[in-house]
Amino acid sequence: MPVDIGTLDTFPKLLAHHSQVRGTLAAIREKDLGVWQTWSWGRFADEVRALACGLAAHGLDHGAHLAIVGDNRPRLYAAMCAAQCLGAVPVPLYQDAIATEIAFPIQDAEIGFAMAEDQEQVDKLLEILPQCPSLKRIYFDDPRGLRNYPQEALTSYEKLQDAGRAFDAANPGFFDGIVARGVGSDAAAMFFTSGTTGNPKGVVLTHTALIDRAHAAAQMEGLSDSDVVLAYLPPAWIGQNIFSYAQPFVTGYCICCPESAETVMADMREIGPTYYFAPPRVLEALLTTVSIRMEDAGTFKRKMYLYFMEVAKRVGARILDGQSVDAGDRLLYRLGDILVYGPLRNVLGMSRVRVAYTAGEAIGPDLFVFYRSIGINLKQLYGSTETSVFVCIQPNGQVKSDTVGPAVPGVELKFTPQRELLIRSPGLFREYYKNPQATADAKDAEGWFHTGDAGYFDPDGHLKIIDRVKDVGALTDGTLFAPKYIENKLKFFPYIKEAVAFGDARDRACVFINFDMEAVGNWAERNNLPYAGYVDLASRDEVYQLVGDCIAKVNLDLSQDPELANSQIHRFLILHKELDADDGELTRTRKVRRGYIGERYQSLVEALYAGRQSVHVEAQVRYEDGRTGSISADLKIRDAKTFPVAAAKRAA
Amino acid sequence: MSGGATVERVTGEVIIAVEGVSLAFGGVKALSDVSFDVREHEVRAIIGPNGAGKSSMLNVINGVYHPQRGTIRLKMDGTLREFHDMDPHEVALSGIARTFQNLALFKGMSVLDNIMTGRNLRMHSNILLQALRLGPAAKEEIEHREAVERIIDFLEIQAWRKTPVGRLPYGLQKRVDLGRALALEPSVLLLDEPMAGMNVEEKQDMCRFILDVNDHFGTTIVLIEHDMSVVMDISDRVVVLDYGRKIGDGTPDEVRGNQAVIDAYLGVSH
C-alpha cells in the first residue's frame, strides 16, 4: 500500500503515519544479548518523541545540526528522526573516522549537539572538544565505560529522554505542532562527501529529495512493509541511509542491525533479508569465501558444484530474466537449485533476497553473472550523494553487466559535447553547505547537476558510465577513448593485475600490462613452466600468449560496441616490474597514475607506436628498505588480435 | 582513555589478608613468610622473576595448595575470617574466581557453553530437572543464559558465540577464560598471566577488559604479570616476590624505585 508522499512530505510525518497504520509491525530490530530485539513502529515513534522533546529542551533549534557518530543502531536512527522533527538537520559521520577527520564537519557546520554510539566515539568527540567550541552537548547510547566521565557536556540517551518526557508533559501540543509545521523543502540531512582533493563538502538534501527518490525506487521494485533489510554498511554513507532510513520510512519495511561487524554473515543468515545492497568488493569477498570452502570440500561435492555451476553459467541468468531455455536445461537447473544453488544462497544468507543492488564501482562480469546465475536478482544502479542515490536502476529482465540501466522515473539525463553526464531530478541536493562556489560549479542555472562522469546510452537506452570526464580522450579518428573503461575490462581477468591504456590523440590504443604474480605463477606451475620470478615470467612467450588471449576477449567485447569499437587494443607489452605506489606509479589507493607512467616510460610508449618488436629498458626501482637500484631488460612488444566492428549486429 | 576521564581511585577495606605464609614442596621452599593484603576494589599485581613463587601464591589463595605456616583471612559477610584447608570449590563459593596461565578451557565446546560452565555453581535446580529442562530448570537456564550473554557482550566476543574454543586464536581463548571466571560473578578475580603470549594489540584489549571489569562490576583484581609496562599502568599496588620472599610492596612508583626490586630484576654482582 503506497503512502501519499504529497501530504506526508517529511520523515517525521511518515513516522507518525506508520505508527498509526502499522503500529505493531516491526520497524527496526537489533541483536542484543544474542536475541533479536524488536522496536515496532509505535515504539519507534515513542522513542523519537521523547528524544525530540529532550533535544528541544536542551535547545536544538530549527536549522541547527545534530552530529550522529556510530554504527547502525536503532537509537541513532531514532536520534536522526528526532532532529528532523525539530527542523534540525542530522549529520551522520563515519564511525571509523579518526578524531581529526570528525573535527572538520563539526567546525564547518558549527555543530552544537552530537549523538555518539559508545565510549569510543565519545572519546573522539571529547578529544576534539577544544578545537570545536560550538559543540555543547554529547549524548551517548551505550553507557559502558562512561560511568565515571566527569564532563558536563555528556548526557546519556536515557537522561535525554527523561528530560524530553518532562518537557512533553509541561508543553503538551509542542511536539505535534512542530512536526506539523515541517515542510518537505526543509533540509533533512547533510552528508559529507569523502573529498579526494581538499576538504570534504557537506551535501544538503531536503526531505522532498530523499523521499521522492526513495519512493520512486520502491515503486519500481514493488517494496512493501513485508520486506526486510540488513543495515551493515556505515550509516554516514548515503547508500546505507537510503536503504535503512529513507526507504523504510516510505514503505514501512523492517531494518535489522547486526550485533557487530564480525557477525554480519551469521546475522544475515538468521534474518534472511529480502532486499539487499552490496558494493562489488563485498560480493567478491563472499565469492572468494565460497570458492575456498568448495576447494576444501570432498571430491564428490566439488565435482557436483563445478558441474552445476557450469549449468548455471549457461542458463541461470537467462532463466532469471525470463527468457526461453530448453526443457532439458530447465530441468537440470531445477535439480541444481535443489542440490547446489539453494544451499549456496542459504549459506550466503540470500535465500529470500528478491532485489539486490550493487554500485559504487565497476563490477566484473564474471562476478556479476555468478550471483545472477544462482538465482539472486542482483542488479546495478547508478547514483551519488548529490542525487539521493537513485538515478538509474536496471529493471527486472533487462540486466546487463556493463550498463547501469535506464533512468528511474522522474530523472532527466543528457550529455555535454564532452560526454559529461548531466542529471536533473527531484532528488538533487539543495547545495553544498556554506560553499556557494562549489554549488554553482556543480549545479547550473537550469538545475542540471554536472556529475564529472563520462558515458553514453547504449542502443537499448541504458546508461553506460565509462570513466571520469577529465580522463576521457579521443583517438585521432575521433573515436571515444576511455582508458579506465579498457583497463577495468582487462583487470576483470584474474591474470591481469594492472593495465595502463594509451591512445589519447594517437591513431590507436595500446596498453602496458602487469600480470598478477600469484595467478600467473600458479598457472605456470600447472603448465610445467619453470620460472625465476616476475621479470622472468614477463619475458616468456607463453605469458604473452596468455595475456594476448585476455586482450583478444576484451577487443571482441569492444567490437560489439559501436561507440568504442575503434578503441580496440592493437599492441601491448608486459612491464618488467610491478607498478608500485612507492615509485609513484600508483596512488596509495592503488589507482594507476597514467600521466606519470606515460612520462616515465616514454621510450616504451614510443616503441609501442613505432611498431617495433622489442625495446630495451633500464629503470630505477626503489626497494622497500629505501635503497634504489636499477633493472634492465629487453621487453617484447606484441600485436593483439582485433575484430571488425560489429555495427550491423544490433540491426538484426 | 584518551578522553581524559581522570577518575579518583577509591579502594576499600582489606578483603584478603595473607600473613606469614610459608609453603614448601619437600625441600623446595616456594614461599617463605610472605605477608600482604588486598583491598576491596583495587587492582593488585604480584610480580617477580621466574620461579619467584607467584603462581604458588595464587594457588594458596585459591585453596589449591595449603601452606604449612601462616594464615589467610578472607572477608566474608563483612568480617575477615581465617580459613584453613579450604578446597578450591569452597573458595569459589566464597566469591573468588581465577583464570589459568595455561588455559583450562573445554576445547571442543562452544564459547557459550564454556562460559556457561562458569555458572555451574550458581545453578540450583537438580540435575534431573536440568536434563529434562522442566519448569524451574528451564527458567533458571534462561536467567543464566542472559547472564552469559551479558558477559559475551561485555567481552565483545559475539561473533564467536557458537565457535568451538579450540578453533579460536590464543588471545580470544584468553578472553573466553576471563569470561568463564566472570560468569561466577566473583568479588575477587585472580588472573594468572592474563597477557602471556599476546601481541601488543591483544594486550591493550585485555588491559581494557580488566580495567572495565574492575570499574563496571567493582571486582577486586589480583593479577600475576610479566609485562612491566602493563603492571605499572593498570595496578594500584604491587607485591614483588623473589625466591619465595617478599622484597617489595607498594604503589607502582614506589616499587619502581625500590633497590631490592631493581637488583632482583637486573641482577647484582656479589
Side-chain angles (χ1 to χ4, degrees):
Chain A
M1 182 182 55
V3 298
D4 174 13
I5 60 167
T7 52
L8 301 172
D9 58 351
T10 66
F11 289 106
K13 289 180 194 169
L14 283 165
L15 178 63
H17 168 80
H18 291 306
S19 78
Q20 275 171 10
V21 178
R22 45 180 70 82
T24 56
L25 286 190
I28 186 161
R29 294 182 207 274
E30 178 186 29
K31 198 171 181 188
D32 190 30
L33 300 180
V35 179
W36 287 98
Q37 322 266 357
T38 306
W39 278 10
S40 64
W41 282 103
R43 167 87 189 273
F44 198 167
D46 291 343
E47 296 276 343
V48 168
R49 185 184 180 109
L51 276 181
C53 291
L55 290 168
H58 286 180
L60 184 70
D61 290 329
H62 186 96
H65 294 92
L66 171 73
I68 294 180
V69 204
D71 211 332
N72 292 288
R73 296 282 165 234
R75 287 169 159 195
L76 298 194
Y77 281 114
M80 205 175 286
C81 191
Q84 290 171 341
C85 289
L86 304 175
V89 185
V91 185
L93 300 175
Y94 282 91
Q95 73 266 30
D96 53 359
I98 56 172
T100 48
E101 289 170 338
I102 288 182
F104 176 77
I106 291 181
Q107 290 162 342
D108 187 47
E110 290 167 38
I111 294 176
F113 298 78
M115 173 66 82
E117 183 191 355
D118 53 13
Q119 186 185 13
E120 181 187 349
Q121 308 300 348
V122 167
D123 281 347
K124 279 193 254 181
L125 291 168
L126 291 176
E127 192 182 327
I128 58 169
L129 210 49
Q131 298 118 265
C132 301
S134 61
L135 193 57
K136 292 195 297 269
R137 296 241 184 205
I138 299 169
Y139 306 104
F140 57 88
D141 168 3
D142 182 358
R144 177 173 171 188
L146 292 166
R147 208 163 50 92
N148 293 319
Y149 276 38
Q151 282 83 354
E152 276 176 27
L154 285 173
T155 311
S156 72
Y157 179 92
E158 287 81 6
K159 287 238 174 70
L160 176 62
Q161 283 198 327
D162 289 344
R165 292 197 185 93
F167 182 86
D168 200 10
N171 301 280
F174 165 81
F175 180 79
D176 296 321
I178 201 156
V179 168
R181 282 199 298 279
V183 289
S185 57
D186 286 341
M190 177 152 87
F191 295 90
F192 275 84
T193 58
S194 48
T196 42
T197 52
N199 278 325
K201 288 180 287 202
V203 180
V204 180
L205 292 161
T206 62
H207 289 273
T208 306
L210 286 165
I211 291 174
D212 178 89
R213 286 298 86 198
H215 187 254
Q219 288 274 298
M220 186 173 155
E221 302 294 3
L223 300 178
S224 73
D225 61 10
S226 58
D227 280 302
V228 179
V229 165
L230 188 76
Y232 71 106
L233 293 163
W237 176 60
I238 179 85
Q240 185 61 65
N241 222 282
I242 283 274
F243 295 116
S244 59
Y245 189 81
Q247 287 201 310
F249 270 62
V250 168
T251 60
Y253 69 62
C254 172
I255 72 162
C256 303
C257 303
E259 202 166 15
S260 72
E262 293 83 26
T263 60
V264 169
M265 276 286 273
D267 292 336
M268 182 137 164
R269 284 187 66 184
E270 287 176 9
I271 286 297
T274 60
Y275 184 44
Y276 179 66
F277 178 92
R281 63 186 159 76
V282 170
L283 295 173
E284 190 153 8
L286 282 176
L287 175 57
T288 309
T289 317
V290 168
S291 307
I292 289 171
R293 284 176 62 180
M294 274 328 294
E295 274 170 31
D296 290 341
T299 319
F300 176 71
K301 280 186 184 166
R302 202 170 62 236
K303 289 236 162 90
M304 186 170 82
Y305 172 78
L306 291 175
Y307 175 77
F308 282 110
M309 284 321 293
E310 202 50 50
V311 172
K313 204 171 172 182
R314 203 166 66 230
V315 298
R318 275 160 54 205
I319 289 174
L320 192 63
D321 282 341
Q323 294 169 9
S324 68
V325 170
D326 74 60
D329 276 345
R330 203 171 273 275
L331 199 64
L332 216 48
Y333 186 83
R334 200 163 299 165
L335 186 63
D337 199 45
I338 295 167
L339 293 173
V340 177
Y341 323 136
L344 186 55
R345 286 196 303 268
N346 185 29
V347 166
L348 294 169
M350 297 186 190
S351 294
R352 299 204 303 154
V353 169
R354 279 193 310 121
V355 180
Y357 291 131
T358 186
E361 54 199 296
I363 183 169
D366 287 346
L367 184 62
F368 188 63
V369 167
F370 169 81
Y371 285 96
R372 289 193 62 75
S373 71
I374 60 168
I376 294 163
N377 186 20
L378 181 65
K379 308 196 286 183
Q380 300 193 57
L381 64 79
Y382 174 75
S384 65
T385 310
E386 285 88 344
T387 60
S388 305
V389 179
F390 300 109
V391 172
C392 293
I393 299 178
Q394 296 181 326
N396 290 337
Q398 301 176 42
V399 175
K400 306 180 200 180
S401 69
D402 59 351
T403 73
V404 292
V408 177
V411 174
E412 299 169 73
L413 303 176
K414 72 173 183 185
F415 293 99
T416 63
Q418 293 77 38
R419 293 186 181 272
E420 180 175 11
L421 175 66
L422 305 189
I423 298 170
R424 196 154 66 180
S425 143
L428 283 194
F429 68 123
R430 190 168 76 189
E431 61 188 348
Y432 290 119
Y433 187 71
K434 285 207 292 196
N435 199 340
Q437 185 57 47
T439 309
D441 287 347
K443 203 160 77 162
D444 64 26
E446 290 162 29
W448 289 97
F449 170 56
H450 294 242
T451 58
D453 285 334
Y456 55 89
F457 290 116
D458 80 350
D460 296 330
H462 289 209
L463 177 66
K464 191 165 179 170
I465 298 293
I466 49 175
D467 208 337
R468 296 296 291 172
V469 168
K470 61 179 168 44
D471 293 328
V472 171
L475 301 180
T476 43
D477 67 356
T479 305
L480 191 64
F481 172 69
K484 198 166 126 203
Y485 184 74
I486 294 172
E487 288 160 9
N488 273 340
K489 272 192 179 305
L490 286 165
K491 281 162 67 177
F492 290 144
F493 290 97
Y495 293 129
I496 295 179
K497 189 171 182 192
E498 296 293 347
V500 191
F502 300 97
D504 188 25
R506 305 264 186 182
D507 57 345
R508 55 198 171 156
C510 296
V511 293
F512 289 174
I513 297 288
N514 256 175
F515 56 80
D516 187 285
M517 188 58 210
E518 209 171 319
V520 173
N522 205 309
W523 168 87
E525 277 168 32
R526 276 185 284 116
N527 288 282
N528 295 322
L529 188 69
Y531 66 93
Y534 183 90
V535 183
D536 184 19
L537 274 178
S539 65
R540 296 301 183 93
D541 284 327
E542 292 91 337
V543 176
Y544 266 85
Q545 185 64 43
L546 183 73
V547 171
D549 289 346
C550 297
I551 293 177
K553 280 182 199 149
V554 170
N555 281 345
L556 182 61
D557 219 23
L558 289 170
S559 73
Q560 308 296 320
D561 188 327
E563 297 270 2
L564 295 170
N566 285 337
S567 67
Q568 287 181 56
I569 301 156
H570 284 77
R571 310 194 74 213
F572 71 99
L573 63 79
I574 298 178
L575 283 173
H576 51 292
K577 71 177 276 286
E578 294 190 76
L579 296 175
D580 196 337
D582 287 345
D583 293 330
E585 292 153 344
L586 301 176
T587 65
R588 287 287 160 198
T589 52
R590 300 203 62 82
K591 292 187 181 125
V592 291
R593 295 175 64 192
R594 211 170 289 116
Y596 177 79
I597 294 169
E599 281 167 31
R600 184 178 169 127
Y601 298 108
Q602 205 188 352
S603 61
L604 301 188
V605 179
E606 293 314 321
L608 277 171
Y609 284 99
R612 283 162 50 190
Q613 289 303 303
S614 79
V615 55
H616 183 75
V617 63
E618 251 173 75
Q620 288 262 312
V621 287
R622 195 169 300 142
Y623 297 111
E624 269 173 29
D625 60 4
R627 288 179 302 128
T628 54
S630 68
I631 291 182
S632 71
D634 278 312
L635 300 187
K636 295 171 188 169
I637 298 176
R638 292 287 176 267
D639 292 329
K641 187 167 183 260
T642 55
F643 298 85
V645 180
K649 194 186 155 210
R650 290 278 173 196
Chain B
M1 279 182 241
S2 59
T6 45
V7 182
E8 187 68 25
R9 303 274 312 168
V10 190
T11 54
E13 297 168 3
V14 172
I15 187 169
I16 300 176
V18 178
E19 277 150 28
V21 163
S22 297
L23 175 74
F25 300 105
V28 182
K29 279 189 178 171
L31 298 167
S32 41
D33 197 23
V34 176
S35 302
F36 67 94
D37 59 22
V38 179
R39 290 177 179 278
E40 209 165 348
H41 204 72
E42 75 175 339
V43 178
R44 186 73 149 126
I46 304 176
I47 63 171
N50 280 334
K54 304 183 296 292
S55 291
S56 298
M57 192 64 244
L58 220 55
N59 281 331
V60 167
I61 299 175
N62 197 207
V64 177
Y65 298 152
H66 298 149
Q68 281 87 0
R69 279 196 297 137
T71 58
I72 290 181
R73 290 186 295 159
L74 295 181
K75 189 171 168 184
M76 280 194 225
D77 311 322
T79 50
L80 276 180
R81 279 200 239 157
E82 191 173 325
F83 75 87
H84 293 285
D85 302 341
M86 264 218 275
D87 66 26
H89 178 76
E90 291 168 292
V91 175
L93 274 177
S94 72
I96 298 180
R98 72 167 296 177
T99 66
F100 296 87
Q101 186 176 351
N102 299 319
L103 295 173
L105 294 164
F106 302 100
K107 302 264 180 197
M109 273 161 54
S110 68
V111 168
L112 184 72
D113 290 341
N114 263 289
I115 298 176
M116 198 61 128
T117 58
R119 301 293 299 177
N120 201 7
L121 280 175
R122 301 203 164 258
M123 292 189 184
H124 302 296
S125 51
N126 72 45
I127 193 163
L128 184 69
L129 287 177
Q130 284 186 25
L132 299 173
R133 294 198 180 204
L134 287 172
K139 186 164 160 282
E140 205 186 1
E141 174 145 349
I142 289 171
E143 280 166 22
H144 287 303
R145 174 68 189 267
E146 190 177 337
V148 169
E149 284 292 346
R150 285 190 194 286
I151 291 165
I152 288 177
D153 184 59
F154 187 82
L155 296 174
E156 295 165 12
I157 44 179
Q158 299 98 330
W160 303 279
R161 188 181 280 124
K162 303 213 167 131
T163 314
V165 164
R167 294 227 308 253
L168 296 179
Y170 187 70
L172 277 174
Q173 293 196 14
K174 282 276 200 188
R175 238 193 264 181
V176 178
D177 196 27
L178 176 63
R180 187 181 52 179
L182 283 178
L184 201 62
E185 296 175 23
S187 54
V188 180
L189 192 53
L190 310 178
L191 305 174
D192 196 348
E193 300 210 15
M195 255 96 43
M198 288 189 171
N199 62 32
V200 176
E201 200 180 326
E202 288 171 334
K203 278 183 185 171
Q204 283 174 350
D205 279 350
M206 195 50 128
C207 280
R208 191 164 61 83
F209 287 125
I210 292 171
L211 289 173
D212 277 356
V213 168
N214 180 249
D215 177 61
H216 205 81
F217 303 115
T219 313
T220 308
I221 310 270
V222 180
L223 81 152
I224 294 178
E225 186 46 62
H226 268 302
D227 188 324
M228 277 306 121
S229 61
V230 167
V231 170
M232 297 301 170
D233 274 358
I234 69 173
S235 333
D236 296 306
R237 290 192 301 153
V238 183
V239 183
V240 192
L241 299 181
D242 190 22
Y243 294 114
R245 285 172 299 110
K246 183 171 96 167
I247 58 168
D249 192 350
T251 64
D253 283 335
E254 287 164 11
V255 165
R256 221 192 304 254
N258 183 328
Q259 190 57 44
V261 176
I262 295 169
D263 291 347
Y265 267 89
L266 300 179
V268 62
S269 55
H270 292 285

